[in-house]
Amino acid sequence: MHTPTTGHGSSSAQRRLGFIVAVLAAIGGALALTRPFLPIGGTWAWRIESPVDLERASVNAELVSVDERGAQLIPQPNRPISLITPPLALPANAESTVFVEAAYTGAGDGRRRCIVRLLWQAEAQSAYRYVETSARLSADTTRIAFSLPDSPEKIHRLGVQFPEVDGPIFIRSVAIPSLSFTERISLFAGQAGEREPFRAHSMNFLRGPVMLGHGLNYYLIALIALAGGGYVAVRLRLSQRVDARVMIGIFLLAWLLSDGQATANLDRNIALDVRDFAGKSREGQIAFSEGEDIAWAWQRLVAECPEGGTYAVVSDDPFRPAHRLAYLLAPLRTRVEDYASADFIVVIASSGARFDELGGVFSLREGPEAKATLIDRASDQLYLLRRESR
Amino acid sequence: MILWAILAVVIPLCAGGAILVAVSGRRLNAMHLIGAGYLLGQVIVMTALYLVLRVGGGRAHARWILLAIAAVAAIATWKVCARPRDTKNPVQRSPASRGAKALTALLIFLIVSKLAPVIASTLFVPVRGDDAISIWLYRAKVVTLLDRLPLDLADPYYLGGAAPAYPIFLSLAAAWTPMVSGEWHETLAILPWPLFYISLLLLTAGGLRRLIGGLPAWIATYLVASLPLLLIHASRPGYADLPLAVFLTATILHLILWHESRLRSDFVFAIVFALAAACLKREGPPLALIAVAGFLLTNLSMIRSLPSVENGINAALVAAACILCLAVVDFSEQTEVASQLAWQPGVFESLLRHAFQWSSLALFFPLVMAGLIAIAAFPSSAHRTTTANLVLAFIAFDAAIFFFTPQGRFALNDQTPSRLFLQIAPACILLLASSLARRRNPT
């Protein structure tokens, strides 16, 4: 192995410069590693104790009550519970961890693990983005920690969403408190070990764990700077040669830490996937991965639409149901865009679809009317029609 | 069905391996041979299906194609057997220390352990990725069940029925095993992805071991194997980024081998793999061009030292590859994108997030920075100009796509930067390892 070394034959000015750079790297690394553990940031809190606290907030749920226990919310049909703060002016040096206090009474005496999302909006009218975590909720108030997803001045509103909760939930506060050193250590360990659930976007990127507001790479680069800079500084101070193998070793060690986390996350996600899909029928697998509505539509179309037939998907979501069904049914049954020319019309959660069952007429907003007969209906938002030739 | 599936995987692999040995001799070690053999086998499969379905416009008759590939494998094997064995002794290296052996064993263990989630997911979890379902596997399913590739524009399944401007080759590779097996089976269709991942590791370990020795080669292989997003693409198959990364890495490896051996066979395989990379995805042609043209331009002195006949043949090979690429790849989308060049604001922050802040590629970008600094610091590193220029050109190309084209919107919504970096990451690691772990050849 070719292992280049430095310091051999270099001038004393170069060595002095190298020494200074190495010391600065080590100091920078040490400071970067300690900074997240120091209580030096500003705080903020939104406590919900009366209806006044919800002024200018956005409540996407049925508001049952507001008292010192917080806002009690139950979900609206086909919509996850979410609560958005009024417009914010967070302190510019805000601490990096947001806590949500919530209680879930639908779990009875036990605890239920479910996904909780922290939403944020960069400016009014812009789309909300989210980060999510898996939390164990119970009837007692639980504190759910999130790293602040962006710099404070870029956050216009924060929000919290419970996509898997179907019962009443109390949201007591959203706050950025100042934490003690021991609380930070404990939070760091908890966040480092958190599973990042694999979603559709996981094919595009992995965020990795965020601890005390900083990603894993931040800590690893700081660690490399501290260890590498320290090693080089010591060797140059002692007028000894720097062994490149040690530097490679330090880098490899940091990579191993990163890999350990990523592999553990992958293994946990794949193990969950395998467990979730094991023993399920094809229908069950489709229902689990694509949703009950798509599985129902697939089953009904296979049963009703003959091979060579066509169907149209009418849905508010222009992408997912249509593409999923196209993949599941092609090429024996062909999806067409125009419902007025399709043999079958499957309606999946479409706000603009109108079907007059007595008159046998289907229409979509201002689109053409199509004579159709109801074949099967799972709900008002999910049904299959056969188009009749005029 | 299982027997046919096994044959569909093994026969092209054997054909690819046998052709490699028949053309290059017995210089390649077993890992390199299996890794590159699988890739060459996939090139043969994709080419054969393309010729029958797209050029011929007929039905696939996949089992006849399999028989033809088996015949090619037999002929190549016969040629190998007829060849006298190389009498040249392999390169002797000093024996590794116990520490190096222990570290190598640890790295191999870590690499092999990555295969468990990849295999489990391939076998037991259905495909869910958006692009897999709406493009690559959708077209594979259409081709498999129709046993033809509709060529009529009015047909709803024209060129597979989705994104007809995208190259069809990867979908053909996915369709191959189900076609030979006689029925559509999603698990069989996604088999190429874990096999591409394994061949990438074998190729990197086997190819680099010859160049830089065991431990550095296994370190580089471990870095490639543990890129988090690469592992996700291997275990949730159906996207084109992993296969493109594999063919690009194979191109770079064989160009480096050619630089060392000056043997035409190495250059031929580099061009074959570059052409395959160019025919996989929209980013393929420019990336393959950067790899080949960048390598040639930074090694002009070596090229001048070759006989002019040799250079003429090599130039003809490159020209033929370019013509083939132009003939089979639809450049309409790239042309449209290129016609809308404009600065895209807000992209820089997004690229920084993907490169340094998030964990998609672990510490790949800090590694690249450290590697480039080391290359600048150590003039004795092998082919340092080539490595520095190619690594920077790959990264600059990916960044330019987001900075200057409407694709910038996919940086703002975080959809593609990490995936584009993923396509070049293994090739960059291979380049850096082959430079830093080796002294420049004084000749």
Side-chain angles (χ1 to χ4, degrees):
Chain A
M1 181 181 173
H2 162 51
T3 51
T5 54
T6 61
H8 183 66
S10 54
S11 72
S12 65
Q14 278 177 322
R15 293 172 67 86
R16 211 172 298 133
L17 180 66
F19 176 74
I20 291 167
V21 170
V23 169
L24 286 176
I27 292 172
L31 287 177
L33 280 177
T34 49
R35 195 197 170 284
F37 295 92
L38 303 176
I40 51 177
T43 61
W44 165 86
W46 182 45
R47 296 193 201 294
I48 307 156
E49 292 170 343
S50 71
V52 180
D53 297 321
L54 291 175
E55 275 178 20
R56 301 185 69 200
S58 178
V59 183
N60 299 314
E62 299 292 341
L63 180 62
V64 179
S65 64
V66 190
D67 52 34
E68 67 282 355
R69 289 178 301 168
Q72 186 185 7
L73 306 171
I74 55 173
Q76 295 168 336
N78 301 314
R79 220 175 161 196
I81 291 175
S82 61
L83 180 63
I84 315 282
T85 66
L88 302 174
L90 296 176
N93 69 335
E95 287 278 353
S96 56
T97 307
V98 182
F99 282 94
V100 174
E101 287 188 316
Y104 176 50
T105 51
D109 293 334
R111 283 182 171 270
R112 184 179 149 187
R113 184 166 282 285
C114 54
I115 296 291
V116 183
R117 289 176 178 159
L118 180 77
L119 315 176
W120 84 97
Q121 188 184 38
E123 54 191 46
Q125 311 303 327
S126 69
Y128 280 93
R129 303 171 79 180
Y130 70 85
V131 287
E132 63 185 15
T133 188
S134 175
R136 288 167 65 84
L137 298 179
S138 72
D140 298 327
T141 301
T142 305
R143 285 177 97 199
I144 307 149
F146 294 93
S147 285
L148 198 63
D150 211 333
S151 49
E153 67 274 16
K154 288 184 182 167
I155 293 178
H156 176 62
R157 285 176 193 259
L158 282 170
V160 56
Q161 188 179 64
F162 299 86
E164 296 175 351
V165 165
D166 48 11
I169 195 150
F170 285 91
I171 301 176
R172 194 170 171 192
S173 71
V174 180
I176 303 179
S178 183
L179 302 173
S180 68
F181 181 73
T182 48
E183 282 177 317
R184 281 167 203 267
I185 293 280
S186 146
L187 188 61
F188 179 92
Q191 289 178 323
E194 239 175 50
R195 179 175 69 90
E196 181 176 352
F198 282 174
R199 302 275 178 236
H201 69 245
S202 302
M203 295 302 292
N204 301 329
F205 62 85
L206 268 180
R207 281 199 179 88
V210 181
M211 291 85 74
L212 304 175
H214 297 279
L216 179 61
N217 283 359
Y218 168 89
Y219 292 97
L220 294 176
I221 292 168
L223 194 66
I224 292 170
L226 173 63
Y231 168 73
V232 172
V234 168
R235 298 296 285 189
L236 292 181
R237 184 84 186 119
L238 299 174
S239 298
Q240 290 174 335
R241 288 177 10 161
V242 173
D243 189 342
R245 284 175 299 190
V246 175
M247 300 300 285
I248 293 169
I250 290 169
F251 196 93
L252 197 57
L253 193 65
W255 192 291
L256 275 164
L257 291 173
S258 167
D259 177 37
Q261 190 281 329
T263 303
N265 191 56
L266 178 80
D267 289 349
R268 287 159 76 186
N269 276 294
I270 299 290
L272 278 175
D273 278 349
V274 170
R275 192 195 66 191
D276 287 340
F277 285 105
K280 282 192 168 71
S281 63
R282 180 77 178 125
E283 293 78 16
Q285 291 191 336
I286 294 169
F288 184 79
S289 66
E290 312 300 348
E292 297 281 352
D293 48 359
I294 291 175
W296 183 89
W298 172 70
Q299 272 182 311
R300 300 312 301 142
L301 280 167
V302 168
E304 301 294 337
C305 180
E307 290 187 7
T310 62
Y311 64 94
V313 181
V314 175
S315 174
D316 287 343
D317 179 347
F319 185 81
R320 193 178 165 85
H323 282 82
R324 263 35 186 188
L325 286 171
Y327 173 70
L328 292 168
L329 294 163
L332 302 178
R333 296 163 186 86
T334 302
R335 183 175 72 87
V336 293
E337 290 290 338
D338 177 19
Y339 64 84
S341 66
D343 299 331
F344 289 83
I345 304 168
V346 61
V347 179
I348 303 176
S350 168
S351 54
R354 299 280 175 272
F355 178 56
D356 172 9
E357 199 166 344
L358 286 176
V361 176
F362 175 81
S363 65
L364 177 65
R365 295 190 187 89
E366 309 305 318
E369 290 185 344
K371 293 276 281 177
T373 315
L374 181 70
I375 301 291
D376 202 352
R377 183 196 294 274
S379 72
D380 286 349
Q381 292 293 308
L382 181 60
Y383 49 93
L384 177 67
L385 307 173
R386 178 189 288 116
R387 197 178 62 83
E388 305 295 340
S389 308
R390 284 182 190 276
Chain B
M1 186 179 81
I2 295 293
L3 181 65
W4 281 112
I6 293 169
L7 291 174
V9 172
V10 171
I11 288 179
L13 166 65
C14 293
I19 291 170
L20 274 165
V21 180
V23 176
S24 337
R26 295 172 196 266
R27 294 178 299 124
L28 310 181
N29 58 42
M31 286 191 295
H32 186 164
L33 201 58
I34 296 170
Y38 179 75
L39 296 187
L40 198 58
Q42 291 303 296
V43 172
I44 295 168
V45 163
M46 291 187 283
T47 309
L49 282 177
Y50 186 84
L51 288 173
V52 172
L53 296 170
R54 181 78 170 97
V55 180
R59 299 177 76 85
H61 301 296
R63 288 180 185 171
W64 285 106
I65 296 177
L66 184 71
L67 199 63
I69 295 173
V72 170
I75 293 167
T77 308
W78 172 75
K79 205 181 161 204
V80 170
C81 294
R83 231 181 136 112
R85 282 191 168 274
D86 286 351
T87 49
K88 241 169 86 179
N89 289 327
V91 181
Q92 295 295 320
R93 292 184 187 278
S94 54
S97 67
R98 283 172 70 178
K101 279 181 184 165
L103 184 54
T104 304
L106 172 69
L107 292 170
I108 293 173
F109 169 76
L110 289 172
I111 293 165
V112 172
S113 70
K114 309 264 178 255
L115 299 181
V118 170
I119 292 168
S121 184
T122 305
L123 293 180
F124 302 116
V125 181
V127 170
R128 285 170 291 171
D130 285 337
D131 284 8
I133 280 176
S134 56
I135 303 173
W136 306 106
L137 292 180
Y138 176 81
R139 301 195 304 187
K141 188 181 178 194
V142 165
V143 171
T144 303
L145 290 177
L146 295 179
D147 198 32
R148 64 187 175 88
L149 184 65
L151 302 174
D152 179 2
L153 261 170
D155 193 310
Y157 296 111
Y158 171 65
L159 292 184
Y166 281 34
I168 190 74
F169 291 92
L170 186 61
S171 296
L172 296 179
W176 168 248
T177 310
M179 283 173 114
V180 172
S181 304
E183 63 177 283
W184 172 254
H185 197 292
E186 198 176 82
T187 306
L188 298 182
I190 60 177
L191 274 182
W193 276 264
L195 294 174
F196 274 132
Y197 176 72
I198 293 169
S199 62
L200 173 66
L201 306 186
L202 292 172
L203 199 66
T204 311
L208 278 181
R209 201 173 66 160
R210 218 179 111 197
L211 290 168
I212 60 177
L215 180 57
W218 283 113
I219 290 175
T221 308
Y222 168 67
L223 298 182
V224 170
S226 57
L227 289 167
L229 197 60
L230 192 80
L231 265 168
I232 290 190
H233 278 240
S235 40
R236 303 187 83 175
Y239 278 51
D241 306 285
L242 166 63
L244 174 53
V246 179
F247 278 108
L248 199 63
T249 309
T251 303
I252 294 289
L253 175 66
H254 284 85
L255 284 171
I256 295 172
L257 292 179
W258 173 63
H259 183 265
E260 303 299 311
S261 69
R262 318 281 159 109
L263 290 174
R264 192 189 306 150
S265 59
D266 287 330
F267 188 74
V268 170
F269 288 122
I271 296 302
V272 168
F273 291 137
L275 183 59
C279 293
L280 283 185
K281 202 167 183 257
R282 286 184 301 175
E283 301 87 45
L287 285 175
L289 186 68
I290 289 170
V292 176
F295 199 94
L296 295 178
L297 287 172
T298 52
N299 287 286
L300 285 175
S301 57
M302 181 207 111
I303 293 167
R304 281 194 208 102
S305 71
L306 293 175
S308 53
V309 177
E310 189 68 22
N311 280 331
I313 293 170
N314 289 347
L317 268 172
V318 174
C322 290
I323 291 166
L324 272 174
C325 181
L326 287 170
V328 302
V329 176
D330 181 343
F331 283 92
S332 57
E333 287 193 5
Q334 288 95 324
T335 313
E336 194 186 327
V337 165
S339 68
Q340 301 170 35
L341 292 182
W343 175 253
Q344 308 290 322
V347 164
F348 186 66
E349 200 181 334
S350 167
L351 295 189
L352 279 185
R353 190 163 57 233
H354 284 264
F356 292 99
Q357 197 177 330
W358 286 351
S359 294
S360 308
L361 299 169
L363 293 169
F364 169 70
F365 277 91
L367 171 80
V368 166
M369 286 175 64
L372 291 176
I373 291 168
I375 279 178
F378 302 118
S380 60
S381 309
H383 56 80
R384 59 200 286 259
T385 315
T386 305
T387 295
N389 280 301
L390 279 184
V391 169
L392 289 173
F394 282 142
I395 294 172
F397 168 73
D398 278 356
I401 286 180
F402 298 113
F403 279 130
F404 301 113
T405 76
Q407 301 291 312
R409 68 183 185 278
F410 294 124
L412 299 180
N413 68 12
D414 294 317
Q415 209 171 319
T416 53
S418 286
R419 275 168 51 196
L420 258 66
F421 293 141
L422 176 69
Q423 296 164 6
I424 60 168
C428 290
I429 291 173
L430 188 131
L431 276 164
L432 288 168
S434 64
S435 275
L436 286 170
R438 202 160 56 116
R439 286 183 199 282
R440 189 170 46 189
N441 186 344
T443 59

